[in-house]
Amino acid sequence: LHGNAIGQLAAKMGIPYAMFLGETEEQDKVVALKDLNKGEQVTVSFKEAVKLIQDGIAQANQGTVIKEN
């Protein structure tokens, strides 16, 4: 499968992010990180990719807790 097909499959499965590492990324010591909900892709260090994923998941999980009385 090509990167685009993998990204589409991941999005259908509810996976919020896809990370791609090809020859160029490996050589440059970076990864391509795609936010599958927004359709945005950035090229960043692996460490920055982890932070972006953690921050994105934390933001997605924010909200008001509903309590039943």
Side-chain angles (χ1 to χ4, degrees):
L1 291 173
H2 293 285
N4 193 35
I6 293 170
Q8 289 175 353
L9 177 61
K12 286 180 184 177
M13 295 175 67
I15 298 170
Y17 297 94
M19 190 180 300
F20 303 98
L21 178 62
E23 289 181 24
T24 302
E25 289 85 6
E26 185 177 10
Q27 186 177 27
D28 295 342
K29 298 184 181 346
V30 295
V31 297
L33 177 67
K34 185 165 187 174
D35 181 326
L36 299 174
N37 294 317
K38 296 179 182 177
E40 298 172 356
Q41 183 170 317
V42 294
T43 301
V44 294
S45 69
F46 180 77
K47 188 174 183 177
E48 182 64 18
V50 170
K51 182 172 177 4
L52 289 170
I53 292 169
Q54 289 173 330
D55 291 349
I57 291 172
Q59 185 177 14
N61 288 330
Q62 287 181 344
T64 304
V65 177
I66 300 172
K67 294 183 180 180
E68 291 185 30
N69 291 332

